[in-house]
């Protein structure tokens, strides 16, 4: 693994850790965290309709464009549930990136913006 790849993975691991720490400060139950941490991966069901639809579905739930505004809205309104859900979502995305899973290309699940997954 190249040092840049390692640096990027380490960076995302720190984002994941921060999201988990901040989640702990919300006072929400850890069972909610456990229940929702893998929820974005349900988007993989889109691959049943083919690689193009699968990539669109997967990427829609694995980008920060929705959870970050949700986090901000939750913070601004004092909505602890919105904050918690957003932090779980951010943690999921960050864990994926730390493990080397990137946004999917329409050519197949293994093809990501970070490179090919697997062998």
């Amino acid at each position: 693994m190249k040092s840049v790849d390692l640096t990027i993975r380490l960076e995302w691991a720190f984002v994941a850790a921060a999201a988990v720490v901040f989640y702990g400060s919300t006072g929400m139950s850890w069972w909610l965290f456990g229940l929702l941490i893998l929820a974005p991966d349900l988007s993989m069901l889109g691959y049943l309709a083919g690689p193009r639809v699968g990539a669109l579905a997967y990427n829609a739930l694995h980008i920060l464009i929705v959870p970050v505004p949700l986090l901000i809205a939750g913070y601004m309104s004092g909505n602890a549930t919105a904050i918690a859900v957003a932090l779980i979502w951010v943690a999921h995305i960050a864990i994926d990136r730390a493990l080397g899973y990137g946004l999917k290309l329409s050519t197949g699940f293994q093809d990501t913006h970070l490179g090919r997954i697997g062998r």
Side-chain angles (χ1 to χ4, degrees):
M1 182 182 311
K2 294 180 261 179
S3 69
V4 171
D5 293 338
L6 181 61
T7 301
I8 291 170
R9 287 183 182 213
L10 188 60
E11 179 180 38
W12 281 107
F14 273 92
V15 171
V20 171
V21 168
F22 285 122
Y23 178 84
S25 74
T26 66
M28 299 297 283
S29 174
W30 285 102
W31 70 262
L32 180 66
F33 189 93
L35 180 69
L36 295 181
I37 191 64
L38 296 177
D41 285 340
L42 292 173
S43 62
M44 286 190 282
L45 293 172
Y47 280 95
L48 295 173
R52 186 172 178 82
V53 172
L56 283 170
Y58 183 92
N59 292 343
L61 294 183
H62 286 83
I63 56 175
L64 295 171
I65 291 173
V66 178
V68 169
L70 177 61
L71 179 60
I72 293 167
Y75 177 77
M76 297 299 285
S77 67
N79 185 329
T81 302
I83 294 169
V85 169
L87 288 169
I88 294 167
W89 201 345
V90 169
H92 176 94
I93 293 167
I95 291 166
D96 273 7
R97 296 293 195 289
L99 294 173
Y101 294 98
L103 297 174
K104 306 304 179 201
L105 305 178
S106 62
T107 53
F109 183 81
Q110 292 81 11
D111 298 328
T112 79
H113 83 287
L114 298 175
R116 189 157 178 82
I117 299 170
R119 301 171 190 209

